[in-house]
Amino acid sequence: MIAVGLMLLALVGGVVYQQTQTEPMPLETSYVFEQQRPLAPFTLADQYGNAFTNQTVQGKWSLFFIGYTACPDVCPTTLNKLAAAYPQLQKIASNVQVVFVSADPKRDTQAKRLDYINFFNKDFKAVSAEHTDLFPFSRDLGFVYAMVGEDSDYQVDHSASYVLVSPRGEKIAVFKPKPQPGQLAQILNAELISDFSQIVQSWR
């Protein structure tokens, strides 16, 4: 009877342990993908004209978001917030990089991207490519964008989420903005930092 009791206790303990291990993280603003797939092969260019490829994200936590330098609201707000959050993100993972993906390659030249990103943080990346390369890359990350308007006055509608890629080059999570009464939907820095910390610690 004692032996049977110990076996039952061991089985119950095993079930409790497994449930604890698979319990979802209490994330505030993000969603971790069940299947973490590597990014498809891509080639873009950064603000210095250097190639930005799958190899560039290896060994780094890469936080991507998409936009354009003429964006009137979402992009400057996002970059200001990320610049403020960056020191805390670095404390969690010193190998974190923030990558701004320009969806407006016609107007966002290398020089313009360099000036634009340096205004917020010189450590950030500002990458782009022709639409033939940019569209499949952005779609692979789960971003969407579209030109709205005519001639040179067009605007670019684009996603406002962030996507986190692991040091193995795999898409691991998406951070989504929450509606704010009377304000633009946004990702709060406190929630970003908390979720990022949990994801990084869990990945390790």
Side-chain angles (χ1 to χ4, degrees), residues 67-72 102-113 128-131 146-157:
Y68 65 118
T69 65
C71 179
S102 169
D104 189 9
K106 181 178 180 180
R107 296 181 297 190
D108 288 351
T109 62
Q110 176 191 327
K112 192 166 187 177
R113 283 184 279 117
S128 195
E130 294 301 318
H131 292 295
M147 276 53 185
V148 179
E150 299 178 356
D151 301 324
S152 60
D153 294 328
Y154 66 87
Q155 295 188 347
V156 184
D157 284 350

Side-chain angles (χ1 to χ4, degrees), residues 38-114:
L39 287 171
F42 65 87
T43 300
L44 295 87
D46 68 14
Q47 68 267 34
Y48 298 103
N50 299 320
F52 187 87
T53 67
N54 300 76
Q55 192 61 37
T56 316
V57 301
Q58 291 293 320
K60 299 179 184 294
W61 286 100
S62 301
L63 191 62
F64 288 89
F65 78 100
I66 194 167
Y68 65 118
T69 65
C71 179
D73 40 38
V74 175
C75 295
T77 299
T78 297
L79 280 165
N80 270 320
K81 290 169 68 67
L82 286 173
Y86 190 58
Q88 292 299 317
L89 298 177
Q90 284 186 304
K91 288 181 180 179
I92 298 165
S94 59
N95 57 339
V96 64
Q97 64 177 352
V98 174
V99 186
F100 166 65
V101 181
S102 169
D104 189 9
K106 181 178 180 180
R107 296 181 297 190
D108 288 351
T109 62
Q110 176 191 327
K112 192 166 187 177
R113 283 184 279 117
L114 176 62

Side-chain angles (χ1 to χ4, degrees), residues 87-178:
Q88 292 299 317
L89 298 177
Q90 284 186 304
K91 288 181 180 179
I92 298 165
S94 59
N95 57 339
V96 64
Q97 64 177 352
V98 174
V99 186
F100 166 65
V101 181
S102 169
D104 189 9
K106 181 178 180 180
R107 296 181 297 190
D108 288 351
T109 62
Q110 176 191 327
K112 192 166 187 177
R113 283 184 279 117
L114 176 62
D115 288 343
Y116 186 73
I117 207 67
N118 280 355
F119 179 80
F120 299 98
N121 191 308
K122 293 182 179 180
D123 290 337
F124 290 1
K125 298 283 188 181
V127 304
S128 195
E130 294 301 318
H131 292 295
T132 50
D133 294 314
L134 183 63
F135 182 74
F137 172 73
S138 60
R139 184 176 57 185
D140 191 24
L141 282 171
F143 294 142
V144 294
Y145 70 90
M147 276 53 185
V148 179
E150 299 178 356
D151 301 324
S152 60
D153 294 328
Y154 66 87
Q155 295 188 347
V156 184
D157 284 350
H158 58 86
S159 302
S161 56
Y162 312 156
V163 173
L164 183 63
V165 173
S166 78
R168 286 197 292 261
E170 298 169 331
K171 294 167 285 184
I172 191 168
V174 58
F175 297 80
K176 296 184 176 181
K178 292 181 178 178

